[in-house]
Amino acid sequence: MTDSTPSRSRPAYVPAVGPRLSKLLAVVFGLFALLSVNAVYLVAIRAVGWWRGESYENLFYLYMFLAHLVLGAIIVIPVIVFGFAHMKKARTRRNKRAVRVGYGLFGAAILLLITGIVLTRIEGVLVVKDPAVRSVSYWAHVILPLACAWLFVLHRLAGKKINWKVGMRWTAVAGAFAGLMVILQVQDPRKWNEVGNEAGVQYFFPSLARTVSGDFIPEHILQNDGYCRKCHEDVHESWIASAHHLSSFNNEPYLAAVKGTRDFSMARDGNVNASRFCAGCHDLVPFFSGKFSDPDYDMRNDPTAIAGITCTACHAISAINSPRGNADYTIDTPIHYPFAFSDNGMLSWINEQLVKAKPDFHKKTFLKPIHKTTEFCGTCHKVHLPEELNGYKWLRGQNHQDPFLLSGVSGHGISSFYYPPKAEENCNGCHMPTMPSEDFSARVRDDSGITKTLDHLFPSANTAVPTIAAEAGLITTAQAESAVEAHRAFNEGVMRLDIFGIREGGSVSGPLTAPLRPEVPALEPGKTYLAEVVVRTVKMGHMFTQGTSDSNEVWVSAIAREGEEIVGRSGGMRDVDGSVDPYSHFINSFVLDRNGFHINERNAEDIFTPLYNHQIPPGAADVVHYRFTVPPDASESFTLDVALRYRKFNAHYMQFVTGDKDHRNDLPILELAQDSITFPIAGARTSSPVANAEVTIPLWQRWNDYGIALLRKSGGRQLRQAEEAFQRVEELGRPDGPLNLARVYLAEGRIGKEAPDALRRARDFDPPANEWSVLWFTGNLNKQNGNLDEAIANYRQIVDGGFAQAVGRGFDFSKDWRVLTELGETIYQRARQERGEKNAAAREAMLRESIEWLEKALELDPEYAAAHYNLQLVYEELGDDENSRIHAAAHEKYRVDDNAGDVAIAEARRRYPAANLAAEAVVIYELQRDGAYELPRDAYIPESDQ
């Protein structure tokens, strides 16, 4: 029996992916397969690097990343076209589950493409800098391919059967390729913080710099600032007028000095190798390219002569070999993204896109953790003069690093007078302030919400170099003026002047009236007085002034007036050449050669010994004594104005630089601090009462600064006056008073009663003195009194730290090598008390422990003579003659030769009467000296000064 109802025929099956779409799908699958292999490799290299704390990216990796970008760009259109065409055909299908999963798959693919575009940062199309958005995009870009693969499986499970073999093959290929490349690349990771090849010593010594390979670095690698400028224009603009950019032969004062050193070396040695001592920090491009060592190198016209410290030269440094300074670093040839040096516009654009798409590798290559350390700056801002240069012995030169690390500012210095609320971690905290910027690397760094970068002018005080460079046409006048103003603004509040007191009779032992203001005494006509002017370092993390302190010109200018008429002058200038009166108070060092001549032309090879050193440590003070006599016929008020001035360089040096003995020094002068006070004249009839500005310095601090200044005077000549000042500090309710009294008593040897009592009062004060300071001076006291166990306990407690007063302030006194050396020395002295055979084991254990502490001190400062001396003694005690000889030789090398300068100093004192006066332990400057610069010819001169 048959059914009479006619059957309905089914419509013919139409595939959702037709012949044309099949071809497009094959393209998508092929591109996705290649991207998968590529991506697994990229992720694997990054993951292994993160896991092992190494950097495994190399040039092959960068080309693979370029391939990732290219494949990603190619796949965008096929995915979008296939997706929409496929949806158009499949959206009405009855298998709704497959349709819905397909929509999800297409959406995930679109998100994957969008995150890739966001991460690529295509200039002019889409540039996303926000770290949070980029982080989310990155992880989405990593996870979405896995999501796409999962959704594709779900999509196909609802439809046509999956060919699993093809997928498994590609997975195996991707895994094998990534695994093989990871194995190969981990054999030779990018190694940073490792000392360079010893072979380079022959090319670079006596500079301590090395290259990773031990060979030269082509000049075009290091001199490519224009490349950096493309993304860092604001940084480049701030750097252009900096002392770093203008460090080499584009700096006329440096050129004059290094030319002299090269000539000296050529005449003495037949080569210029000794001058390489300078080049490791000043002339990196010609130095590492090998040109510098050529005696015929053209220091004016060679293209590398104007390079200075370039972007790459600084940022390619991969390791600081030691804290010795003198360019003791290792520099690498950095790996650049493909086409970095191409002149082809398209290839250059591709290079820029690579950097912007994956800046992490660029940042890792050019901004390493060492760049944020004090030692990184110290490698060039800490200097010693090697025997190979001066033919004499190792001598300490300029040194910013150690005074900072041994100061309260760093939170490591145990003996500082003052400590900040929070320690400065490195030099950058002061010398690399943030500035608003739209540079590619700029980001929001504070609560302002404004994107900022770091100022690469490195503001300090060198106003001369940009000024001279502008005159030579190397930078614009506007750039030079901007730099000068930045230096001027940076120095506001760095130093402080305080006309603190006045002594009758014009001597340091005369009756003191202090502090001056709000009340001031009336001065009597015809009487002689001594003004006490305190100079204090306030916002200063190193010695004032450091750098080329022999050619820096820092002086105190003092003007005394009766009414409007100048009646006293110190620190004046001679109009004809702009030179400063040599009888001024200079805050510098007066350095001599071995014949007693002043080192005044930066002839480092001749440096022998200082006649005096007037530099002031961080958080410390000095006092300048000015003597004057009130004119007998004075009838108007008497005003004293003081100013602290800075100029780089002095007049004589600029005459040497220009080769013109009549050259007038018009370089910019910074006024770092000033103070003024007006006294009434006893018995005079004035039209208006005397008024003085309010002093905002806390009263106790004025007394404390005055005491510090007196305490620091050489030879202990003013310790009695310092004691009186610190007694007043204690009376004003500050623990600094008894603590600093203990310093005075220790200096005077009053260690039986006065010093212990002062330290007890400092400890028990309310609030108490800094615990670490009390422990330090108590340890010194115990050591001097022979209480070695107690001293050792004091020093150990300092090293262990954990002080309640230091919580959250970043202090760590275990990094003060003086503490470690005192601890090691005291343990050594204690070991010597364990006599006899039965105490031999205890004695040896102590000696071994002493070595440990002394070696730790040398890790922080390998040139610390006291640590070497004590190690010599300890090893001698242990019978280790070899190590004892090693440290004896090191001590002999690094110790100050106290006797070498006797003849030179005696000759200099005879030759330079003004410097002879300044070298006295207590110096009194006459405000009414006959012949003083800018003192009117008809000014009153007391008989004793005529």
Side-chain angles (χ1 to χ4, degrees), residues 722-732 737 741 745 750:
E723 179 183 8
E724 293 171 355
F726 292 138
Q727 286 171 345
R728 295 298 298 272
V729 175
E730 184 172 8
E731 292 169 6
L732 290 167
L741 280 169
Y745 299 143
R750 295 156 68 180

Side-chain angles (χ1 to χ4, degrees), residues 140-255:
H141 198 67
V142 171
I143 295 170
L144 281 169
L146 302 176
C148 286
W150 175 65
L151 288 170
F152 175 76
V153 171
L154 292 180
H155 181 62
R156 292 297 302 274
L157 285 175
K160 191 176 179 180
K161 186 179 179 181
I162 300 173
N163 186 347
W164 290 101
K165 291 183 178 179
V166 175
M168 296 303 294
R169 287 183 193 133
W170 276 107
T171 301
V173 169
F177 175 75
L180 176 63
M181 293 311 301
V182 167
I183 291 171
L184 291 175
Q185 283 182 237
V186 297
Q187 306 306 312
D188 185 26
R190 304 290 299 161
K191 289 196 177 294
W192 292 318
N193 293 318
E194 291 192 3
V195 177
N197 197 313
E198 283 279 354
V201 172
Q202 62 180 312
Y203 302 125
F204 309 125
F205 191 77
S207 168
L208 301 179
R210 299 181 184 180
T211 59
V212 169
S213 65
D215 209 340
F216 296 119
I217 299 176
E219 61 193 67
H220 77 276
I221 297 292
L222 298 179
Q223 194 172 3
N224 61 340
D225 307 314
Y227 175 76
C228 305
R229 185 178 185 177
K230 294 177 183 178
C231 290
H232 305 284
E233 188 169 357
D234 291 337
V235 168
H236 185 277
E237 182 62 20
S238 67
W239 164 83
I240 199 74
S242 71
H244 285 170
H245 173 221
L246 303 171
S247 69
S248 190
F249 306 110
N250 52 3
N251 175 339
E252 287 290 335
Y254 171 73
L255 173 61

Side-chain angles (χ1 to χ4, degrees), residues 699-760:
L699 180 58
W700 74 267
Q701 198 173 110
R702 295 183 73 189
W703 277 108
N704 201 47
D705 290 345
Y706 182 55
I708 292 169
L710 296 168
L711 173 63
R712 292 186 56 251
K713 288 297 183 184
S714 63
R717 293 285 297 277
Q718 294 197 262
L719 289 176
R720 182 181 65 80
Q721 292 94 332
E723 179 183 8
E724 293 171 355
F726 292 138
Q727 286 171 345
R728 295 298 298 272
V729 175
E730 184 172 8
E731 292 169 6
L732 290 167
R734 290 288 305 189
D736 310 66
L739 181 67
N740 289 336
L741 280 169
R743 297 179 194 249
V744 173
Y745 299 143
L746 285 168
E748 291 183 321
R750 295 156 68 180
I751 58 176
K753 183 178 187 304
E754 287 92 340
D757 287 349
L759 286 168
R760 275 192 292 271

Side-chain angles (χ1 to χ4, degrees), residues 688-916:
S688 60
V690 167
N692 285 292
E694 180 184 358
V695 178
T696 59
I697 309 168
L699 180 58
W700 74 267
Q701 198 173 110
R702 295 183 73 189
W703 277 108
N704 201 47
D705 290 345
Y706 182 55
I708 292 169
L710 296 168
L711 173 63
R712 292 186 56 251
K713 288 297 183 184
S714 63
R717 293 285 297 277
Q718 294 197 262
L719 289 176
R720 182 181 65 80
Q721 292 94 332
E723 179 183 8
E724 293 171 355
F726 292 138
Q727 286 171 345
R728 295 298 298 272
V729 175
E730 184 172 8
E731 292 169 6
L732 290 167
R734 290 288 305 189
D736 310 66
L739 181 67
N740 289 336
L741 280 169
R743 297 179 194 249
V744 173
Y745 299 143
L746 285 168
E748 291 183 321
R750 295 156 68 180
I751 58 176
K753 183 178 187 304
E754 287 92 340
D757 287 349
L759 286 168
R760 275 192 292 271
R761 296 200 308 276
R763 181 196 63 198
D764 298 336
F765 218 89
D766 186 18
N770 293 323
E771 187 178 356
W772 56 87
S773 299
V774 174
L775 283 169
W776 171 246
F777 292 112
T778 301
N780 293 347
L781 175 67
N782 280 325
K783 184 181 175 187
Q784 289 186 44
N785 281 327
N787 304 319
L788 300 184
D789 287 329
E790 290 83 352
I792 291 169
N794 296 144
Y795 296 142
R796 285 191 197 279
Q797 200 170 344
I798 293 170
V799 173
D800 291 341
F803 305 112
Q805 295 160 303
V807 172
R809 298 173 70 180
F811 295 173
D812 182 359
F813 302 105
S814 68
K815 294 184 178 181
D816 187 329
W817 51 89
R818 299 169 303 182
V819 175
L820 303 182
T821 301
E822 284 293 335
L823 177 54
E825 179 184 336
T826 309
I827 293 173
Y828 159 71
Q829 292 179 0
R830 179 65 182 83
R832 297 192 69 198
Q833 294 179 348
E834 297 292 329
R835 300 182 179 90
E837 189 63 31
K838 68 175 183 177
N839 296 321
R843 181 171 61 252
E844 181 170 348
M846 289 183 182
L847 291 172
R848 297 293 178 190
E849 184 185 2
S850 174
I851 290 173
E852 290 178 10
W853 290 114
L854 294 169
E855 291 287 3
K856 286 181 179 179
L858 290 178
E859 289 175 10
L860 297 169
D861 182 7
E863 299 156 334
Y864 192 45
H868 284 294
Y869 176 71
N870 282 289
L871 279 168
Q872 171 196 345
L873 299 178
V874 175
Y875 280 118
E876 184 180 5
E877 190 78 20
L878 286 168
D880 188 339
D881 294 337
E882 181 179 356
N883 274 315
S884 181
R885 281 194 298 269
I886 290 172
H887 287 287
H891 172 252
E892 181 63 25
K893 176 179 180 178
Y894 298 126
R895 74 177 181 87
V896 176
D897 189 349
D898 294 320
N899 300 319
D902 290 350
V903 174
I905 288 174
E907 186 62 27
R909 282 184 171 274
R910 181 192 62 79
R911 184 175 288 130
Y912 306 109
N916 176 50

Side-chain angles (χ1 to χ4, degrees), residues 487-499:
H487 292 311
R488 200 181 304 278
F490 176 79
N491 280 282
E492 291 180 4
V494 166
M495 302 296 295
R496 186 167 72 201
L497 283 178
D498 180 18
I499 306 175

